[in-house]
Amino acid sequence: MRVGMRIIYDQDGEIVFNSGEMSGDVLPRKEVTKIEHIDLDYGVINFLTHRIVRIDIETKQPILEEIPIVLSPEEQRIKELEDQVLLLANENTGGIL
């Protein structure tokens, strides 16, 4: 399939986004009947832990999804060992946790 480029521009005709052309195993574009936007303050979302999945059209607020943290087997083993050390320290001190 071939999909032509989509250009989104502002009220002055300046290009805000250009998707480029696509070919191969791509999905057809959805017809757009209305474009709106929201502006978010810098730093309001921690993109290391969350991603924006869509915008609530009634509240005009982003709907966030937490990014799952996937540990490698090595990282998982380190975490388990750290937890064991904390539990041992807790037992030896009479309960700090």
Side-chain angles (χ1 to χ4, degrees):
M1 172 183 276
R2 291 177 159 188
V3 178
M5 72 175 58
R6 176 172 282 167
I7 299 172
I8 298 174
Y9 56 94
D10 69 10
Q11 66 279 358
D12 298 320
E14 289 187 40
I15 295 174
V16 175
F17 176 77
N18 179 347
S19 71
E21 295 180 331
M22 299 175 275
S23 65
D25 189 20
V26 296
L27 298 173
R29 286 212 176 94
K30 175 181 172 181
E31 180 184 354
V32 177
T33 58
K34 183 178 182 181
I35 297 269
E36 292 195 44
H37 79 281
I38 61 169
D39 292 321
L40 300 174
D41 290 335
Y42 182 86
V44 73
I45 297 172
N46 182 347
F47 290 104
L48 297 175
T49 59
H50 291 82
R51 66 177 144 248
I52 300 173
V53 292
R54 63 184 310 117
I55 305 298
D56 184 313
I57 59 172
E58 292 181 15
T59 65
K60 308 286 190 225
Q61 294 298 312
I63 298 172
L64 304 177
E65 176 180 86
E66 189 172 350
I67 299 171
I69 299 172
V70 179
L71 300 176
S72 70
E74 194 173 275
E75 291 170 323
Q76 182 63 36
R77 181 68 182 140
I78 290 170
K79 183 180 180 327
E80 290 170 2
L81 291 171
E82 288 173 341
D83 290 345
Q84 289 176 4
V85 169
L86 285 172
L87 289 173
L88 284 172
N90 188 53
E91 289 175 13
N92 291 338
T93 59
I96 59 172
L97 297 177

